[in-house]
Amino acid sequence: MATVAVVGAQWGDEGKGKIVDYAAERADLVVRYQGGNNAGHTVVVGEREYKLHLIPSGVFYPGKICVIGNGVVLDPAVLAHELDYVAEQGVTRPQLRISPAAHVIMPYHIRLDEVDEDRKGKNRIGTTRRGIGPCYMDKFARVGIRVDDLLDRERFLELLERNLAEKNPLLEKVYGVGGFTAQEIAEPYLAYAERIRPFVADTVAIINDAIDAGKNVLFEGAQGTLLDIDFGTYPYVTSSHPIAGGACVGAGVGPARIGTVIGVVKAYTSRVGDGPFPTEQLNDTGDWIRERGHEYGTTTGRPRRVGWLDTVIVRYAARLSGLTGLAVTRLDTLGGLETVKICTGYRLGDRVTRDFPQSIKTLAQCEPVYEEMPGWQEDLSRLTRYDDLPTTAKAYLQRVRELTGVDLALVSIGRNRTQTVELTPLFR
């Protein structure tokens, strides 16, 4: 059995798309297990850049089976667009499998997301306004519409009428915006149903049969640890479980079946949305890192907040997901700085802690404790071996390993899939 889960070990946007794409070369299946099109993955192959939101990154490797698991919330309009997009890139017959138990994002979910964010004003969460949260709300309220329902015309129309009877009064009387007619939703959504029907399959059986057969299975998470609905910086979180345990629930596999867990970590820290950010750099250094690292959201285009690497966060992620290795990305971005800093702990009143606080109020009171290390000036983009890295860059990585207690598996020194130094084979 060779199974690998790739999870974000910060606030998301760590470069998981590239790491999954790199690992997918040796995978037989690539499985997306949570989130929706609020996540974005950018993959660079040669001189070409590809951006995806739903279809797993492995789609650009011929013959790889790409699975959208039951834990994903699926916007069929976005999926249809992505199918057209990958076809334009030459992938005309993707080996895509979609769980019939995945929940469907409806137009009223998107509108509710938009108007609720507007209503909250300065207390907004900072969602992508893609309907993700409202769809998950319906899922757990047991009024959601699943892919299996969408494929059954009679049942879909029945559920749609039922839900609009609840959503329209909410939109019109509480938020003061227009609702929807069943017809305006049904026509395009029934067309989407026929578009995705060929891809719908028993993904639980497909994944577990592949593991039983000894195939390489790669689980792909969206967002990051600190956006986890239970363990993140609540309420500034997503509506699902990006941690490794989310792969079990969102794909239908037992926890003992996941062998390797790789935490993807930027050589610095970034986040999108509101909420406390202890190492945030609201200064020239932060602006320099943002521009050099192209820190703008794949999904929204919003500028990301950036700061120094926070090993308190990464250590917390290691505990939650049982990380067996780190994939450090964007090491090249820091090249050119005279010195670099690493957050080793938080000062809270008269004490210093290395444990991440569960209270967002407490987190907002934390002051980062830094170690300062020499930077590096060299261009890393052409290096192929770890030993070729500058001494100061290797010292930085070694200190990350010491502070987090997790060994290095991969180091990314550029955006292209070839600009990756592998220290430990992911599939063994």
Side-chain angles (χ1 to χ4, degrees), residues 7-19 37-42 52-53 126 128 221-227 242 264-273 277 293-306 327-330 333:
V7 302
Q10 295 161 308
W11 268 289
D13 307 309
E14 301 96 346
K16 296 181 296 299
K18 177 193 169 173
I19 301 304
N37 58 300
N38 55 336
H41 286 166
T42 301
L52 297 170
H53 299 274
T128 57
Q223 289 94 30
T225 296
L226 291 190
L227 294 180
V264 186
V265 181
K266 271 180 182 164
Y268 47 96
T269 307
S270 73
R271 74 168 299 181
V272 172
F277 183 174
H294 309 288
E295 291 295 345
Y296 295 87
T298 302
T299 298
T300 64
R302 290 183 292 187
R304 296 178 185 136
R305 302 160 65 189
V306 298
V328 179
T329 64
R330 300 294 181 91
T333 296

Side-chain angles (χ1 to χ4, degrees), residues 112-420:
L112 282 167
D113 201 358
E114 294 170 340
V115 296
D116 193 54
E117 276 288 276
D118 290 339
R119 179 186 63 84
K120 289 174 180 173
K122 67 178 183 179
N123 296 317
R124 66 188 183 278
I125 302 300
T127 79
T128 57
R129 299 171 180 250
R130 301 295 197 270
I132 310 300
C135 185
Y136 275 114
M137 288 172 65
D138 277 4
K139 174 177 179 173
F140 289 103
R142 290 162 291 185
V143 296
I145 295 175
R146 307 201 303 180
V147 168
D148 188 52
D149 301 318
L150 179 62
L151 300 185
D152 183 332
R153 178 186 177 90
E154 183 177 342
R155 177 155 176 76
F156 173 69
L157 293 175
E158 176 187 338
L159 294 175
L160 178 60
E161 291 279 7
R162 181 198 69 185
N163 284 1
L164 286 179
E166 294 182 0
K167 305 302 182 186
N168 279 342
L170 179 62
L171 287 166
E172 294 163 358
K173 296 179 181 179
V174 175
Y175 292 103
V177 298
F180 297 89
T181 66
Q183 184 177 359
E184 69 180 303
I185 293 177
E187 185 175 347
Y189 267 66
L190 289 171
Y192 293 139
E194 297 312 307
R195 181 78 188 275
I196 70 174
R197 189 182 296 276
F199 302 109
V200 179
D202 184 348
T203 56
V204 172
I206 291 169
I207 296 166
N208 282 280
D209 286 349
I211 296 173
D212 290 340
K215 293 184 177 180
N216 291 343
V217 180
L218 180 62
F219 296 93
E220 173 185 17
Q223 289 94 30
T225 296
L226 291 190
L227 294 180
D228 187 275
I229 185 67
D230 281 341
F231 300 106
T233 48
Y234 190 90
Y236 302 103
V237 293
T238 193
S239 303
S240 57
H241 294 290
I243 61 174
C248 300
V249 178
V253 297
R257 313 208 83 183
I258 299 178
T260 299
V261 184
I262 301 298
V264 186
V265 181
K266 271 180 182 164
Y268 47 96
T269 307
S270 73
R271 74 168 299 181
V272 172
D274 299 311
F277 183 174
T279 67
E280 184 172 16
Q281 297 298 295
L282 298 170
N283 51 32
D284 290 344
T285 299
D287 293 341
W288 185 88
I289 294 174
R290 180 182 301 106
E291 294 307 314
R292 186 172 170 83
H294 309 288
E295 291 295 345
Y296 295 87
T298 302
T299 298
T300 64
R302 290 183 292 187
R304 296 178 185 136
R305 302 160 65 189
V306 298
W308 295 116
L309 178 62
D310 187 336
T311 60
V312 177
I313 289 173
V314 180
R315 187 165 171 264
Y316 179 61
R319 284 178 165 179
L320 292 175
S321 287
L323 299 184
T324 59
L326 294 180
V328 179
T329 64
R330 300 294 181 91
L331 187 67
D332 53 303
T333 296
L334 297 183
L337 292 171
E338 291 286 334
T339 59
V340 291
K341 294 181 181 181
I342 300 178
C343 174
T344 61
Y346 295 153
R347 181 172 287 106
L348 186 61
D350 58 357
R351 68 185 181 91
V352 172
T353 180
R354 291 184 62 210
D355 293 327
F356 190 79
Q358 296 294 294
S359 164
I360 192 170
K361 182 178 179 180
T362 302
L363 181 64
Q365 297 168 347
C366 289
E367 298 179 8
V369 177
Y370 288 118
E371 283 187 13
E372 192 166 306
M373 302 182 70
W376 51 93
Q377 305 300 315
E378 295 88 339
D379 177 12
L380 309 184
S381 61
R382 297 183 182 277
L383 303 181
T384 57
R385 301 188 312 147
Y386 182 80
D387 290 343
D388 294 334
L389 291 173
T391 301
T392 50
K394 286 189 288 188
Y396 181 80
L397 292 171
Q398 175 61 17
R399 189 61 179 138
V400 173
R401 190 198 69 76
E402 293 169 353
L403 290 167
T404 61
V406 185
D407 288 334
L408 297 176
L410 297 170
V411 179
S412 171
I413 52 176
R415 303 180 75 200
N416 200 293
R417 65 165 61 142
T418 61
Q419 295 174 300
T420 308

